[in-house]
Amino acid sequence: GMLYGHRHTSVLRMIGVPSRIEKKYIHRGWPAFESCIADNKALPDDKVYDIDESFNPQGELATKASFLRKFKHKQAPPISYEQFSDLVTRLENDVRVLRVPYNRLFTQAEDKGFLLNKYRLAWEEQRKIQELDFKSMGLDDSLALQLAVVLPSFPNLETLHLTGNNIGDTGAEAIMGALASGRLRSLDLS
């Protein structure tokens, strides 16, 4: 699972599902795992892209930059193991209402325990990082509050980049409160 979360790995997620298919990309166990691992990148910097239903191979612009800007994933705060476990439960409940064969999150029932264990191990590695970079990621107060919840999970965090976002007083206060007992040396909220 760490391949998707490695700082040098670019992730191209083919999240588009034909409209006739009831079960969407996120309603599948392994893609949910891979997506959350990729979203937890410490330094995402243009490394996660979501190719969705709007992708048209014949109509896309030929230039690399336009294509990458169009499909660049909006980074969200990291997801802890506990949050991921809750997400899996919610997704399982979501798919139960779908018709067979779309009513299961995992094709093989034993994959759930395996996947949760892999996420736990990956999360333990990810939370050892010393730097998180969320520059110009479109974070607002709502996302800053989500980030504040998970920040205490990073005991070695020394640098947090938040410049170029739309974080207001509420979000800034929550982040500062979450970092109060940490080792942070550098915080950029400009």
Side-chain angles (χ1 to χ4, degrees):
M2 284 306 293
L3 174 63
Y4 294 96
H6 193 276
R7 68 185 297 179
H8 298 299
T9 300
S10 291
V11 178
L12 298 172
R13 295 190 287 222
M14 305 301 286
I15 65 171
V17 177
S19 59
R20 70 183 183 284
I21 305 296
E22 297 174 45
K23 191 173 183 180
K24 301 305 176 196
Y25 177 83
I26 195 65
H27 289 116
R28 302 160 194 263
W30 284 101
F33 168 80
E34 293 159 356
S35 290
C36 289
I37 293 291
D39 285 349
N40 282 3
K41 285 177 173 282
L43 306 166
D45 193 32
D46 298 332
K47 299 247 184 215
V48 181
Y49 303 91
D50 290 338
I51 313 301
D52 61 16
E53 292 85 357
S54 70
F55 177 70
N56 177 357
Q58 288 78 32
E60 295 301 334
L61 298 173
T63 61
K64 175 184 170 188
S66 295
F67 178 82
L68 293 177
R69 270 193 307 277
K70 178 179 179 180
F71 294 107
K72 182 181 176 186
H73 174 70
K74 182 179 178 189
Q75 189 71 20
I79 298 171
S80 70
Y81 169 75
E82 294 78 12
Q83 291 169 320
F84 179 72
S85 181
D86 291 344
L87 174 65
V88 168
T89 300
R90 282 194 316 274
L91 292 174
E92 284 179 317
N93 290 332
D94 288 351
V95 299
R96 281 195 181 111
V97 300
L98 301 176
R99 65 183 169 85
V100 175
Y102 305 117
N103 63 342
R104 293 182 298 166
L105 190 62
F106 300 98
T107 305
Q108 304 296 321
E110 61 271 9
D111 282 357
K112 179 181 177 181
F114 181 80
L115 180 133
L116 288 171
N117 187 53
K118 290 299 271 182
Y119 196 92
R120 183 185 54 76
L121 294 172
W123 175 245
E124 289 303 316
E125 282 302 309
Q126 288 175 319
R127 49 188 300 269
K128 293 177 184 177
I129 57 100
Q130 295 177 326
E131 180 178 10
L132 283 172
D133 187 348
F134 289 98
K135 286 184 275 203
S136 301
M137 292 290 180
L139 299 182
D140 55 14
D141 275 347
S142 172
L143 291 172
L145 292 172
Q146 291 177 33
L147 178 60
V149 168
V150 77
L151 281 175
S153 300
F154 296 94
N156 301 320
L157 187 64
E158 294 180 358
T159 304
L160 178 59
H161 303 284
L162 295 170
T163 187
N165 288 293
N166 298 315
I167 300 172
D169 292 344
T170 302
E173 287 173 15
I175 288 170
M176 296 303 290
L179 296 170
S181 62
R183 301 173 31 167
L184 199 70
R185 293 181 183 184
S186 174
L187 171 64
D188 187 356
L189 278 167
S190 60

